[in-house]
């Protein structure tokens, strides 16, 4: 109810830019539909979900280049979309409509994190800053600024046990931490390679993984006091350190799936050992842009390349392939944690200038 009131207030106050579409990056190729698609039958069919609501009426986010999609941990119908060039968007109705967090701006938002204990507290990156909202997107303030303007903040994560603890990483490879909701920060490591993603183990939030752009994965089991790399088992796979994505397998403790230039590589013991998943395409020959694991069945894996959608229901022994529902690239996949038939597909026009 609180969110519905907020949305109504936003429409009345007219904080959004009027117009028919949301192409803040400029020069979008409107013949390529990006934005968001949704499947209700495990990728059998797809529906475009690009309705954009603003004070002037409605439009489309079909020109938005999606970098990521994130569920509110308390509400599976609340989804945040971080984009390349269109800022931060959000939906409170399962993607049926989207609105813009106007105060975040129109730039590249590398990462967004929602407080698992307070759905109205959201953090987002913007260039060399971290922004925070405590009122469900109505207003935002800077809580971190890097004096080096060229060092973008690239990764965010919130401790689910104590949500005042925030971890962040930047393009210089610095990993920093706040224990008071972003008021104060300290550097806890310098990896000297761009931080691409931070994952915190929900079973033991002292265990954290940081994926770097091309120097592999680093791990701490003491909340950042000490770090080790978990790359020993990856070195047998060519180009495995060239990061594309890293996700937890929600079905199994200490299990992660790495998307690299090599392909898909999985660990079931926190990174001590890694095993490649067999794909149809030869290793290192295809760029995988997005991946998802069924949160109730880890034999069911989905991934997408620039033109093709792949699905397995037996852990990779057999794959079903389909064309993507649009000519845009499938840059992000998430599966509804409450209904595994529902999949969201974020897309981008990578040729857009």
């Amino acid at each position: 109810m609180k969110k519905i009131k907020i949305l109504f207030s936003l429409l009345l106050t007219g904080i959004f830019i009027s117009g028919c579409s949301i192409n803040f990056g400029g020069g979008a190729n409107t013949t390529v539909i990006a934005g968001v698609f949704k499947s209700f039958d495990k990728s059998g069919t797809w529906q475009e979900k690009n309705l954009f609501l603003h004070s002037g009426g409605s439009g489309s986010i079909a020109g938005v280049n999606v970098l990521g999609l994130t569920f509110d941990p308390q509400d599976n119908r609340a989804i945040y979309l971080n984009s390349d060039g269109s800022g931060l968007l959000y939906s409170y109705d399962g993607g049926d409509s989207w609105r813009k967090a106007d105060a975040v701006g129109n730039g590249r938002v590398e990462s967004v994190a929602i407080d698992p204990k307070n759905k109205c507290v959201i953090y987002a990156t913007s260039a060399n800053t971290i922004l925070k909202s405590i009122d469900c997107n109505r207003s935002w303030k800077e809580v971190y600024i890097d004096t080096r303007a060229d060092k973008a903040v690239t990764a965010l994560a919130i401790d689910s046990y104590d949500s005042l603890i925030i971890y962040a990483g930047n393009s210089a490879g610095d990993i920093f931490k706040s224990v008071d909701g972003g008021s104060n920060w300290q550097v806890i490591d310098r990896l000297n390679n761009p931080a691409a993603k931070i994952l915190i183990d929900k079973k033991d939030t002292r265990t954290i993984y940081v994926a770097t752009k091309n120097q592999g994965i680093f791990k701490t089991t003491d909340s950042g006091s000490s770090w080790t790399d978990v790359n020993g088992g990856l070195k047998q796979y060519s180009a495995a350190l060239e990061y594309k994505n890293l996700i937890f397998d929600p079905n199994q403790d200490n299990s992660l799936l790495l998307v690299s230039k090599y392909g898909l590589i999985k660990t079931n013991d926190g990174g001590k050992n890694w095993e490649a998943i067999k794909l149809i395409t030869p290793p290192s020959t295809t760029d995988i842009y997005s991946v998802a694991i069924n949160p109730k069945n880890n034999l069911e894996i989905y991934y997408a390349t620039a033109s093709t959608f792949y699905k397995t229901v037996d852990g990779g022994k057999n794959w079903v392939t389909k064309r993507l529902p649009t000519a845009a690239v499938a840059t992000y996949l998430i599966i509804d944690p409450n209904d595994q038939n529902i999949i969201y597909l974020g897309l981008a026009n990578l040729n857009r200038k």
Side-chain angles (χ1 to χ4, degrees), residues 47 58 65 67 87 105 122 155 161 211 220 222 226 241 247 260 303 308 323 332 335:
Q47 297 178 16
S58 63
N65 283 344
L67 292 177
I122 307 110
Y161 178 76
T220 178
D222 53 18
S226 61
L241 301 187
I247 62 172
S260 71
Y303 76 90
T308 307
R323 291 189 182 276
Y332 214 84
I335 300 174

Side-chain angles (χ1 to χ4, degrees), residues 22 33 41-42 108 111 137 150-151 161 168 208 226 248 258 270 277 281 297 316 319 330:
I22 177 170
I33 300 174
D41 56 7
K42 294 188 175 184
R108 181 181 175 95
S111 185
N137 300 298
D150 63 332
K151 304 305 179 187
Y161 178 76
I208 304 160
S226 61
F248 280 122
L258 171 67
I277 294 176
T281 54
N297 177 10
W319 292 92

Side-chain angles (χ1 to χ4, degrees), residues 120-141:
C120 278
V121 175
I122 307 110
Y123 299 83
T125 67
S126 178
N128 61 328
T129 70
I130 298 173
L131 305 175
K132 180 180 181 180
S133 174
I134 59 173
D135 54 12
C136 287
N137 300 298
R138 284 178 293 182
S139 63
W140 291 77
K141 68 175 183 178

Side-chain angles (χ1 to χ4, degrees), residues 249-291:
D249 178 346
N251 303 273
Q252 187 171 351
D253 292 347
N254 302 310
S255 184
L256 300 96
L257 181 61
L258 171 67
V259 184
S260 71
K261 179 65 178 175
Y262 177 88
L264 300 181
I265 312 172
K266 199 167 188 286
T267 179
N268 293 320
D269 55 13
K272 294 178 182 178
N273 298 282
W274 295 87
E275 183 176 353
I277 294 176
K278 292 183 179 180
L279 308 180
I280 294 176
T281 54
S284 305
T285 60
T286 303
D287 286 330
I288 297 173
Y289 290 95
S290 54
V291 70

Side-chain angles (χ1 to χ4, degrees), residues 12 40 54 68 101 120 147-148 172 204 206 210 216 220 222 232 244 263 268 277 279 292 294 318 323 345 351:
L12 287 179
F40 293 90
H54 54 84
C120 278
T147 56
R148 302 163 295 176
D204 182 354
R206 296 170 298 181
V210 176
T220 178
D222 53 18
K244 300 293 184 181
N268 293 320
I277 294 176
L279 308 180
N294 186 323
N318 299 280
R323 291 189 182 276
L345 178 65
N351 293 321

Side-chain angles (χ1 to χ4, degrees), residues 74-86:
Q74 298 183 75
D75 183 358
N76 64 309
R77 288 181 61 78
I79 307 167
Y80 289 81
L81 184 164
N82 55 299
S83 76
D84 182 6
S86 299

Side-chain angles (χ1 to χ4, degrees), residues 57-230:
S58 63
S60 173
I61 65 163
V64 169
N65 283 344
V66 178
L67 292 177
L69 296 167
T70 305
F71 285 117
D72 180 333
Q74 298 183 75
D75 183 358
N76 64 309
R77 288 181 61 78
I79 307 167
Y80 289 81
L81 184 164
N82 55 299
S83 76
D84 182 6
S86 299
L88 178 66
L89 291 91
Y90 58 93
S91 172
Y92 289 156
D93 53 17
D96 287 340
S97 64
W98 296 90
R99 296 156 179 88
K100 187 174 185 295
D102 195 60
V104 174
N106 296 334
R108 181 181 175 95
V109 176
E110 294 275 3
S111 185
V112 61
I114 302 96
D115 189 318
K117 297 181 179 180
N118 186 342
K119 63 180 66 179
C120 278
V121 175
I122 307 110
Y123 299 83
T125 67
S126 178
N128 61 328
T129 70
I130 298 173
L131 305 175
K132 180 180 181 180
S133 174
I134 59 173
D135 54 12
C136 287
N137 300 298
R138 284 178 293 182
S139 63
W140 291 77
K141 68 175 183 178
E142 292 180 339
V143 293
Y144 175 84
I145 307 172
D146 197 314
T147 56
R148 302 163 295 176
D150 63 332
K151 304 305 179 187
V153 183
T154 51
L156 290 173
I158 300 176
D159 187 314
S160 59
Y161 178 76
D162 181 352
S163 61
L164 291 177
I165 299 176
I166 318 297
Y167 294 90
N170 65 15
S171 57
D174 302 328
I175 308 301
F176 38 103
K177 176 181 179 179
S178 173
V179 297
D180 55 11
S183 296
N184 297 278
W185 298 86
Q186 60 176 310
V187 174
I188 56 175
D189 202 7
R190 299 189 192 277
L191 301 177
N192 299 315
N193 197 258
K197 195 168 189 178
I198 301 173
L199 293 178
I200 303 176
D201 192 322
K202 290 183 179 179
K203 294 289 183 68
D204 182 354
T205 59
R206 296 170 298 181
T207 298
I208 304 160
Y209 299 86
V210 176
T212 62
K213 186 175 180 180
N214 50 37
Q215 288 188 5
I217 302 167
F218 295 80
K219 178 182 180 181
T220 178
T221 57
D222 53 18
S223 303
S225 296
S226 61
W227 295 83
T228 57
D229 74 63
V230 291

